[in-house]
Amino acid sequence: MQISDLPYPDPGVPDARSGPRFLVWLGRGQLGGQAKSLCWGLLHFSGIAGLPYALGMGVDAVVDRDAHRLLLVGGLLVLLGAAITVGDAMLHRTAVTNWITAAARVQQLLARKTAELGSALSRRVAAGEVIAVSTGDVEKIGWFVEAVSRFLAAAFAVVLVCVGLLFYAPALGVVVAIGVPVVALAALPLLPRATRRADFQREKAGRATELASDTVAGLRVLRGIGGEELFLGRYREASQEVRKAAVRSARMWALISAIQVLLPGALLITVVWYGATLVVDGRIAVGELVAAFSAVATLLYPLRHFEEIAMAYSFSRPSAERAARVLSLTRSEPEAGKPGPGGPGARVVPDAPAPGADLYDPQTGLLAPTGRFTAVVCGDPDLAGRLAERLGGHPMDGADGPSVLLGGVALDELALDTARTLVLVQDKDPVLLSGTLRELFDVPASGAVEPAAALEAARCADVLDALAQSAPDGVDDPMDARITERGRSLSGGQRQRLALARSLVTDPEVLVLDEPTSAVDSHTEARIADGIAALRAGRTTVVLASSPLLLDRADRVVLIHGGVVAATGTHRELLHGEPLYRAVVTRETEEEQRLARLELTGLEEALTEIEESA
């Protein structure tokens, strides 16, 4: 596969059972690229391995004053030089291609998993870990994948040199054949300690990144309470811990590098000393000594790839472990022992339910009848947010209860695109991507709702005017006006209404809105409630809110208390007959409710007395 062919049409289903298994899966997916890289690496390193013998034969030809043989040696050196040059260029090209394609595959897998999990990802994985996986870890994983083929080619060159010396200069070849494995494996006992230190460094770096992310996200709040210096001090401490861990890790790798330099140097000195003794005794020719010396000196280059593959694996294994942890997350826990297309333990993907099905949550008892406007009132805003995610097919945190059912079919067992087509959840804080307003509405939709109708239902006339005024000259249509990153140029209420209009355009079978009007004034809120009810007539709509203006427009209202349905009825019925509901909606305290009951009781007694006296 070429870089120009990226991204993959389908990155595949990764083996995320462990980090090493994930690395093996990535390597299997690039066997063609690995084979190309290995072939070019063999050409490159074979040329390097042949240089010592060509030099030795050249020296022998000079000593013997054999011009014809010297000319042949010159031609051989030219061929070896061409093989080294071409092999090196193509090896670099194919290795970089392997690195980029592996990194791109991992990024595609992470993007797909993020889209699958949605906002549930940040609740199940720390923000620092997600950032580390999607940035630095991707590069380290790609490094190991592309280093494998170069290492195999280098190992072949080492074996070739040692075997060649055994035939060309047996006396020195034995020394080299014994010494090279010792040099190659000398640093092996230090690798576990180096790996542990590298893991500790990355753990500290991940915590520092998470702390930085939390600080930046809450910077406005920190400034409001004067807590910038406190968190800045914490980040300084975390940063210093990362620095100390990095220094300890670097010391270990420096020791390994020193061993990789010291031992080959000692082997080179041994070969020269022993070879010179053999030459003086007349047991070998000068050319054989030059060949042996050149061979050992040449081995320093391929032997560096032994250190590189060790470092690449030590750095990429924990990175692959983190990536595998993220990629192994699912929208819900699979049912044990239930076979499926993915192998043992996988789930069977059911067919989508027929249109016109009720939405039912067995855990809370919430029922949203088809074609009705249902409002849900929760006293806890966090519980409302988690319930909205659950209604979209994501289970509540820490809940092992049954999945939400649409027409009797579990949502979290449906294919993701099918579930999103049937049920769409708009979060409490929706995000607007940068681009034109027309691009904002370029989302998967049924086509039954036009953007103009959705904008009218969300009461976005003033938003269109604001975009038109801020648009550069030459832009007459507000739909061509650009929205800045995350809609920062708009107010909170304007962003909220645009996001609502985008959700209305999709026209899903079930639309779940979490506090869709919390940032608008009461007059606009009432008009939006009418617009939603009119545009979604005959479609199932669930709104989690506590605003009386929205609740009064709903066909039915459900009160959730303690995680279960506590009451059901219309807004007016619950307002007069359910004290708990009235307390949530009107924000009355217990004392105010008690006084209201006393006043009502006194009024009833007074009316009774009047009737009796009459």
Side-chain angles (χ1 to χ4, degrees):
M1 184 166 185
Q2 302 298 321
I3 296 178
S4 58
D5 297 329
L6 295 173
Y8 285 99
D10 180 11
V13 180
D15 186 349
R17 289 176 291 177
S18 66
R21 288 178 183 271
F22 181 59
L23 292 174
V24 171
W25 177 84
L26 278 177
R28 287 204 313 266
Q30 296 181 208
L31 290 179
Q34 295 285 0
K36 291 180 182 178
S37 183
L38 178 60
C39 290
W40 289 115
L42 291 176
L43 177 63
H44 172 63
F45 284 105
S46 295
I48 293 176
L51 283 178
Y53 308 111
L55 291 175
M57 289 187 292
V59 171
D60 287 338
V62 172
V63 172
D64 297 339
R65 298 180 181 276
D66 190 340
H68 178 69
R69 185 151 50 105
L70 185 60
L71 184 61
L72 293 177
V73 170
L76 178 61
L77 287 174
V78 171
L79 290 176
L80 292 175
I84 292 172
T85 302
V86 174
D88 186 32
M90 297 306 298
L91 172 62
H92 177 74
R93 179 184 178 88
T94 53
V96 170
T97 300
N98 289 337
W99 178 81
I100 293 178
T101 51
R105 187 193 292 270
V106 176
Q107 287 178 328
Q108 281 187 258
L109 291 170
L110 291 172
R112 186 174 68 180
K113 182 58 65 173
T114 302
E116 176 185 343
L117 295 176
S119 61
L121 176 63
S122 58
R123 296 201 301 268
R124 301 170 68 179
V125 181
E129 184 168 354
V130 175
I131 295 173
V133 170
S134 58
T135 54
D137 285 340
V138 169
E139 297 183 1
K140 294 181 178 67
I141 292 172
W143 176 27
F144 175 75
V145 172
E146 64 92 8
V148 170
S149 56
R150 288 189 287 110
F151 163 71
L152 293 177
F156 173 80
V158 170
V159 174
L160 188 63
V161 169
C162 294
V163 173
L165 275 180
L166 287 175
F167 287 96
Y168 186 77
L172 291 176
V174 172
V175 177
V176 174
I178 295 175
V180 167
V182 174
V183 172
L185 302 177
L188 194 61
L190 298 177
L191 288 179
R193 182 177 298 180
T195 301
R196 287 195 297 270
R197 291 190 179 186
D199 291 347
F200 183 73
Q201 175 199 348
R202 280 185 290 273
E203 180 183 351
K204 291 293 185 181
R207 292 179 180 176
T209 304
E210 183 177 353
L211 180 60
S213 301
D214 291 343
T215 303
V216 172
L219 187 59
R220 181 177 299 179
V221 178
L222 291 177
R223 286 176 176 172
I225 62 176
E228 305 105 305
E229 289 300 324
L230 174 62
F231 275 80
L232 184 59
R234 291 181 180 177
Y235 181 74
R236 287 197 187 101
E237 294 177 1
S239 180
Q240 289 302 311
E241 291 180 358
V242 174
R243 181 189 63 81
K244 293 177 182 178
V247 170
R248 292 185 71 247
S249 178
R251 285 174 180 170
M252 183 57 64
W253 288 112
L255 176 61
I256 293 175
S257 298
I259 291 175
Q260 293 295 321
V261 174
L262 178 64
L263 293 184
L267 177 61
L268 185 61
I269 294 173
T270 301
V271 169
V272 172
W273 173 81
Y274 182 58
T277 303
L278 295 179
V279 170
V280 171
D281 294 342
R283 297 170 58 185
I284 63 172
V286 176
E288 294 178 349
L289 174 60
V290 173
F293 170 79
S294 301
V296 176
T298 302
L299 284 177
L300 296 179
Y301 172 57
L303 282 175
R304 285 206 300 267
H305 289 78
F306 285 69
E307 177 188 357
E308 183 195 13
I309 195 66
M311 291 183 64
Y313 181 74
S314 298
F315 280 92
S316 65
R317 182 192 55 78
S319 297
E321 292 281 0
R322 280 196 291 268
R325 281 198 296 270
V326 175
L327 295 175
S328 63
L329 297 175
T330 58
R331 292 162 57 203
S332 64
E333 294 298 326
E335 297 179 20
K338 189 175 182 179
R347 296 170 302 173
V348 176
V349 179
D351 296 330
D358 295 340
L359 183 69
Y360 176 65
D361 180 14
Q363 182 162 318
T364 61
L366 172 63
L367 174 66
T370 179
R372 304 288 297 279
F373 185 177
T374 302
V376 180
V377 176
C378 293
D380 183 1
D382 293 333
L383 175 60
R386 294 195 298 270
L387 178 58
E389 286 295 326
R390 180 174 172 79
L391 293 177
H394 297 295
M396 287 185 177
D397 296 339
D400 298 324
S403 167
V404 171
L405 305 177
L406 182 63
V409 178
L411 272 182
D412 59 5
E413 293 184 358
L414 292 173
L416 181 62
D417 54 350
T418 303
R420 290 294 170 269
T421 302
L422 295 172
V423 181
L424 176 67
V425 177
Q426 177 178 301
D427 295 333
K428 185 182 303 182
D429 299 311
V431 175
L432 300 181
L433 302 179
S434 60
T436 65
L437 189 59
R438 194 181 309 278
E439 292 171 343
L440 178 69
F441 290 101
D442 186 16
V443 293
S446 66
V449 178
E450 295 295 329
L455 289 167
E456 173 61 25
R459 302 302 184 253
C460 294
D462 62 315
V463 184
L464 297 178
D465 293 339
L467 290 174
Q469 293 175 4
S470 62
D473 295 338
V475 179
D476 299 327
D477 190 350
M479 296 296 292
D480 294 326
R482 295 196 63 83
I483 300 173
T484 57
E485 180 187 2
R486 302 178 72 89
R488 298 186 188 279
S489 61
L490 302 173
S491 67
Q494 291 173 329
R495 289 196 299 269
Q496 195 173 59
R497 281 178 283 162
L498 282 180
L500 174 60
R502 179 180 58 187
S503 299
L504 293 173
V505 162
T506 61
D507 189 38
E509 184 172 333
V510 179
L511 178 61
V512 180
L513 304 172
D514 185 9
E515 294 287 357
T517 58
S518 59
V520 300
D521 60 84
S522 57
H523 175 67
T524 305
E525 185 178 28
R527 297 174 61 213
I528 291 175
D530 292 334
I532 294 175
L535 190 64
R536 294 286 300 173
R539 307 287 275 171
T540 306
T541 306
V542 180
V543 177
L544 290 95
S546 57
S547 168
L549 294 173
L550 270 176
L551 300 174
D552 195 39
R553 267 69 172 184
D555 296 325
R556 64 197 302 270
V557 179
V558 179
L559 173 65
I560 302 290
H561 180 67
V564 296
V565 173
T568 303
T570 65
H571 168 63
R572 298 177 186 274
E573 291 172 352
L574 294 177
L575 193 63
H576 292 91
E578 183 59 50
L580 182 60
Y581 176 83
R582 184 168 57 251
V584 174
V585 173
T586 63
R587 276 73 169 177
E588 285 184 352
T589 63
E590 293 184 0
E591 180 63 21
E592 290 173 336
Q593 293 184 42
R594 188 181 66 83
L595 293 176
R597 286 195 299 269
L598 289 176
E599 292 177 359
L600 181 60
T601 302
L603 180 60
E604 291 176 348
E605 292 177 353
L607 290 175
T608 302
E609 291 178 359
I610 293 174
E611 291 177 354
E612 291 177 353
S613 61

